[in-house]
Structure formats: structure tokens, C-alpha cells
């Protein structure tokens, strides 16, 4: 019985030593950001500032932390790395929408937690808002939009609902743009087209000016050059022929004067 008790104690001591010296990831060390233990989405607005605090829970030694913006490493000061680390995202813009910030353990980068920014902002419109085309040609009016939440898009003309004509107008929409294509442009297509974005935050409008010119008649340059060459050569031959004729007349007059003097 004493032998069995001794064996049990040895096994117990061995297991205890293994538990004490296990790596942190096997002893249940976890990361939290702003008190949350799982990846989450942070709602914010354009122009706001957000603080993200990452901390190690259940650690048995000092752990260095790393911060990433997407795949890029964030520079941290020396006093902002051990067991707890904070970063500040200031002047938040639409470009920060859906950007992930990830906190990782330096000793084991598989231990991590991420925060994705959900930036709320009204519609922002852009595009080439002044175009000049000829009758009979085609033109695309592209209204680029950024908005969260997504905006409802529509085209007006001269501040009235645009009447779409089959085989003349075509609309193509994505989450980032609204395109109006006009084929075989007419004089009546001349005017101001209004791109309207309607979201729960704001209604935004951008004007696109389309000027339709009369179709110009194209004159082939080869024909013009050939005609100029023909005219030039004709003039040259005419001058040469006239010069020979004048010289003959002068010679006759000289011969006549020579006969008279004899």
C-alpha cells in the first residue's frame, strides 16, 4: 500500500508541474477588447473618435500585445504593449468603414480578437458632371455613391422624373454607382440630369450637365491633300508652259530686230 501511495504522489506532482509550466494558450489565456471576449462590430459615425483597449485574461506571465489595422502593423509605444494595450482611431471617415482592427499575442499570433468598424455616414456623390457629345453618339453618366446605410438611387432630368425610353436609355446600378447610358443621342437629350441618393440620414443630389452638339460632317483628309497636290502641280505646269511661250515670243522679237538692223 505504501508503494501505491508513493506512486500516486509522484504522478500527482508530475501533473502539477506540467500544468504550471503549460503555455498560456493551453491554460485558457484569452484576449478581450473593451471587455468583449469575441470578435464584434463597433457602430460609429464619421468624424467620431473611438478607443480600443485590448487586455490579456487568465495569464500567468507578462504577455506582449500587437495591434493590426487590416494586415498592417500598428506602432505602439513601449509602455503600451504588456498585458494591456490601447489604440485610438481618430477623425473616423467613410474610408474606415468595414476596416478590421485586430489584437494578437506576440507569443502566439493565433490568439487574437478583432473589431470591425461600422461607420454610419450620409450619401457622398461624385462623377464627371459636365460632358459634351455629338448627335448620334453614345454617352454614359456615372454617379458614384458612398453611403451607409445604403441609399436608394434614381435619375431625374431638369428636376423632373426621367422618362426612360426603350433602346435609348439604360440604367445600371451597383452598390457604389448609378449609371445612365444614352445611345444615339438626340438634341432633345440636352439638359441637366439629377442624380438623387436617398438614405435614412439625408437626401443628396448631384447635377450632371449634358450638352449635345450638331453632328459635324467629316471630310476625308486624304481627298483634301490629293486635291491640293493636283492643284499645285497644275499651277506648276501652267507656269512652266507659260514661261516657255514667253521665251519663244521674246526670241522671235530678237530675231526680227536683228533682221531689221542688217
Amino acid at each position: 500500500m505504501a508503494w501505491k501511495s508513493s506512486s500516486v504522489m509522484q504522478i500527482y506532482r508530475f501533473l502539477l508541474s506540467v500544468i504550471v509550466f503549460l503555455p498560456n494558450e493551453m491554460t485558457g489565456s484569452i484576449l478581450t477588447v473593451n471587455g468583449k471576449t469575441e470578435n464584434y462590430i463597433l457602430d460609429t459615425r464619421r468624424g467620431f473618435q473611438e478607443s480600443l483597449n485590448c487586455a490579456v485574461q487568465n495569464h500567468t506571465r507578462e504577455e506582449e500585445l500587437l495591434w493590426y489595422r487590416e494586415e498592417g502593423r500598428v506602432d505602439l509605444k513601449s509602455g503600451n504593449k504588456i498585458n494591456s494595450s490601447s489604440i485610438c482611431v481618430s477623425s473616423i471617415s467613410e474610408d474606415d468603414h468595414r476596416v478590421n482592427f485586430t489584437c494578437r499575442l506576440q507569443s502566439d499570433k493565433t490568439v487574437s480578437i478583432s473589431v470591425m468598424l461600422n461607420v454610419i455616414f450620409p450619401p457622398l456623390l461624385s462623377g464627371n458632371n459636365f460632358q459634351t457629345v455629338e448627335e448620334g453618339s453614345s454617352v454614359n453618366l456615372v454617379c458614384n455613391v458612398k453611403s451607409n446605410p445604403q441609399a436608394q438611387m434614381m435619375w431625374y432630368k431638369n428636376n423632373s422624373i426621367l422618362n426612360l425610353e426603350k433602346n435609348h436609355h439604360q440604367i445600371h446600378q451597383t452598390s457604389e454607382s448609378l449609371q445612365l447610358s444614352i445611345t444615339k443621342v438626340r438634341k432633345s437629350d440636352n439638359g441637366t440630369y439629377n442624380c438623387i441618393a436617398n438614405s435614412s440620414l439625408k437626401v443628396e443630389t448631384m447635377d450632371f450637365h449634358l450638352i449635345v452638339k450638331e453632328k459635324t460632317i467629316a471630310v476625308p483628309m486624304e481627298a483634301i491633300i490629293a486635291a491640293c497636290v493636283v492643284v499645285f502641280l497644275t499651277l506648276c505646269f501652267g507656269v512652266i508652259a507659260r514661261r516657255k511661250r514667253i521665251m519663244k515670243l521674246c526670241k522671235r522679237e530678237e530675231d526680227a530686230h536683228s533682221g531689221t538692223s542688217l
Side-chain angles (χ1 to χ4, degrees):
M1 291 295 293
W3 178 81
K4 288 184 178 180
S5 299
S6 176
S7 298
V8 171
M9 288 299 296
Q10 288 179 357
I11 294 172
Y12 174 76
R13 288 172 182 171
F14 172 75
L15 292 175
L16 183 62
S17 64
V18 169
I19 293 173
V20 169
F21 292 103
L22 273 175
N24 285 350
E25 60 270 19
M26 297 185 64
T27 58
S29 293
I30 60 174
L31 296 179
T32 63
V33 171
N34 293 355
K36 299 183 184 297
T37 58
E38 296 181 353
N39 299 341
Y40 73 100
I41 297 174
L42 176 61
D43 292 334
T44 185
R45 289 182 178 268
R46 190 172 57 159
F48 279 26
Q49 177 176 295
E50 299 291 347
S51 295
L52 304 177
N53 178 260
C54 180
V56 188
Q57 306 295 330
N58 302 333
H59 60 89
T60 58
R61 63 179 182 183
E62 289 189 342
E63 292 285 357
E64 182 178 346
L65 297 173
L66 306 174
W67 272 105
Y68 292 83
R69 176 190 170 100
E70 297 293 347
E71 300 302 320
R73 180 93 168 264
V74 178
D75 292 331
L76 300 173
K77 294 182 179 180
S78 58
N80 188 28
K81 296 181 180 181
I82 306 302
N83 296 335
S84 179
S85 179
S86 296
I87 60 172
C88 181
V89 187
S90 59
S91 301
I92 291 174
S93 72
E94 61 278 1
D95 295 329
D96 297 313
H97 182 50
R98 293 182 179 174
V99 170
N100 282 289
F101 289 88
T102 303
C103 179
R104 291 191 174 102
L105 282 181
Q106 168 66 37
S107 60
D108 183 1
K109 294 183 177 61
T110 62
V111 179
S112 65
I113 184 171
S114 296
V115 180
M116 185 178 76
L117 298 186
N118 180 41
V119 184
I120 310 298
F121 58 96
L124 303 172
L125 304 181
S126 63
N128 181 9
N129 62 347
F130 190 92
Q131 294 191 60
T132 302
V133 296
E134 287 186 354
E135 286 183 280
S137 61
S138 298
V139 66
N140 293 323
L141 304 180
V142 182
C143 181
N144 302 308
V145 59
K146 288 184 177 182
S147 180
N148 187 37
Q150 188 171 343
Q152 293 182 342
M153 306 288 293
M154 62 191 74
W155 280 108
Y156 277 50
K157 182 183 178 184
N158 299 326
N159 297 316
S160 298
I161 296 177
L162 175 64
N163 295 318
L164 300 178
E165 298 181 33
K166 188 177 180 180
N167 300 325
H168 186 58
H169 297 107
Q170 186 175 1
I171 289 181
H172 179 67
Q173 184 172 4
T174 68
S175 60
E176 298 180 347
S177 68
L178 180 68
Q179 176 177 302
L180 172 63
S181 300
I182 307 175
T183 56
K184 296 180 180 179
V185 174
R186 313 169 191 147
K187 267 290 189 181
S188 58
D189 294 318
N190 194 86
T192 299
Y193 293 79
N194 321 108
C195 174
I196 299 177
N198 187 358
S199 81
S200 57
L201 300 178
K202 186 181 180 182
V203 177
E204 194 66 54
T205 303
M206 182 175 180
D207 293 337
F208 289 75
H209 305 284
L210 180 64
I211 297 177
V212 181
K213 300 189 303 181
E214 291 184 0
K215 189 173 183 178
T216 55
I217 300 175
V219 179
M221 291 302 297
E222 293 82 358
I224 295 175
I225 294 172
C228 291
V229 171
V230 170
V231 171
F232 176 74
L233 293 176
T234 302
L235 290 174
C236 288
F237 289 138
V239 170
I240 292 171
R242 186 172 180 79
R243 184 171 179 275
K244 287 181 178 180
R245 186 179 176 185
I246 293 172
M247 290 179 66
K248 287 180 180 179
L249 290 173
C250 292
K251 188 174 182 181
R252 286 176 185 176
E253 289 181 358
E254 288 179 359
D255 292 342
H257 286 301
S258 297
T260 306
S261 60
L262 289 173

